[in-house]
Amino acid sequence: DQLAQLRGDKARARLLADSLNALVAHAAAREQLAAAREQAQQLSDLTDLIRRREQAGDVGQVDAQLAYLSLGQAQQALADAESAATRAATELRQQLASQQPAEALPAADRWQASALTDTASQRLPANFDLQLAEQQLALAERGVSVADKQRNTDPTLGLRVGQEGGENLWGVDFSLPLKFFNTGKPGYEAALADSEARRALLEKTRNDIQASLDGALSDYRQRRQRWETWQQLTGDSLARSDTLLKRVWQQGELTTQNYLQALNQRLDTRLAGIALRDAMQQAWVQWLYESAQLNDWLNQLANE
């Protein structure tokens, strides 16, 4: 049954998309947790250093208090990151029956087709919901044909041959439907109404899915552009900034307040990159699901 096959394909694609999204969210949550832990440890080390310098008279009370406050804020951020990582692990376990992925996700630059040339309109016929609507209309139209045949039953003519008392007998049976009593009109009209309703639903479904496909592809392209722009702007500078900021502060060219602000800004920038990549990957999964290309993309990755 083609309708059952389509429903099965859609259900499998949905499960696959949900599993990929869970893997993406899990990876992002783990990276966010690592960044929060690193920030908390860095501020803890800084607080210890400032405490010693305060005792030696090299740092004022204001600088020390700023460091303590920043460390307190980092503990809250760390608690939030730990909670988010736990939720992501729970979701992953629910989707894949595993708390840890068997393999790492593909690199972020591979979350795209080798040549993304198909438009949303070109992928429209492959959409599962549109195919289901088309199949349901086809079934409704077959129902109209059946009801029409029942409504217009043809007369029948039969020939009987036999023997009785040694004589050959034959007879003719003629059957003529009495439309006056049974026209079949209600059943035909109901089937016709169902067919028209399915046709109207198909047109609405086609319009809705076209809009959804356009939006999914546009969203993916925008989010990928934002993530690539983030990469271009940060590059290797994010990794080098930690050592640079610490050296400039120790040399007295940066106040403690500005140093703490710079550390927070560095963390925010790092978290922004993780969030941008996470959103780009999930947008890619959504586009692949709606355009029925998830299996194609995974096979492409497997063959590379």
Side-chain angles (χ1 to χ4, degrees), residues 134-147 190-199:
E134 290 173 341
Q135 286 298 314
Q136 289 166 343
L137 174 60
L139 288 175
E141 289 178 338
R142 283 200 289 270
V144 172
S145 298
V146 171
L192 191 61
D194 181 57
S195 174
E196 292 303 316
R198 291 290 181 182
R199 189 180 306 280

Side-chain angles (χ1 to χ4, degrees), residues 73-86:
Q73 291 176 337
Q75 295 305 307
Q76 177 61 53
L78 179 56
D80 291 341
E82 288 172 338
S83 180
T86 299

Side-chain angles (χ1 to χ4, degrees), residues 96-109:
L96 300 178
S98 173
Q99 291 183 325
Q100 293 291 336
E103 297 182 9
L105 286 171
D109 59 357

Side-chain angles (χ1 to χ4, degrees), residues 39-49 51 71 75:
Q39 178 83 343
Q41 184 61 52
Q42 191 171 27
L43 289 173
S44 179
D45 294 342
L46 176 63
T47 301
D48 291 341
L49 176 60
R51 183 181 293 112
L71 180 58
Q75 295 305 307

Side-chain angles (χ1 to χ4, degrees), residues 236-256:
D236 297 330
S237 63
L238 189 62
R240 297 195 306 267
S241 62
D242 183 25
T243 304
L244 175 63
L245 288 171
K246 186 175 183 179
R247 185 176 70 249
V248 172
W249 173 72
Q250 289 176 334
Q251 292 172 350
E253 299 176 15
L254 192 66
T255 66
T256 300

Side-chain angles (χ1 to χ4, degrees), residues 31-41 74 77-78 81 267 270-271:
E31 287 192 42
Q32 290 166 345
L33 177 58
R37 282 175 174 167
E38 182 181 315
Q39 178 83 343
Q41 184 61 52
L78 179 56
L267 175 63
R270 182 176 175 183
L271 294 177

Side-chain angles (χ1 to χ4, degrees), residues 177-245:
L178 299 178
K179 291 186 179 182
F180 181 79
F181 298 103
N182 181 22
T183 63
K185 185 176 181 180
Y188 172 75
E189 290 181 344
L192 191 61
D194 181 57
S195 174
E196 292 303 316
R198 291 290 181 182
R199 189 180 306 280
L201 180 60
L202 174 61
E203 290 307 310
K204 184 179 185 308
T205 300
R206 180 179 285 107
N207 291 335
D208 291 348
I209 293 173
Q210 183 66 69
S212 181
L213 282 170
D214 288 336
L217 183 56
S218 177
D219 185 50
Y220 164 71
R221 286 173 168 165
Q222 290 171 352
R223 292 187 180 277
R224 182 164 195 89
Q225 182 179 0
R226 295 294 165 260
W227 178 73
E228 289 177 344
T229 300
W230 178 91
Q231 283 191 307
Q232 294 168 2
L233 291 173
T234 59
D236 297 330
S237 63
L238 189 62
R240 297 195 306 267
S241 62
D242 183 25
T243 304
L244 175 63
L245 288 171

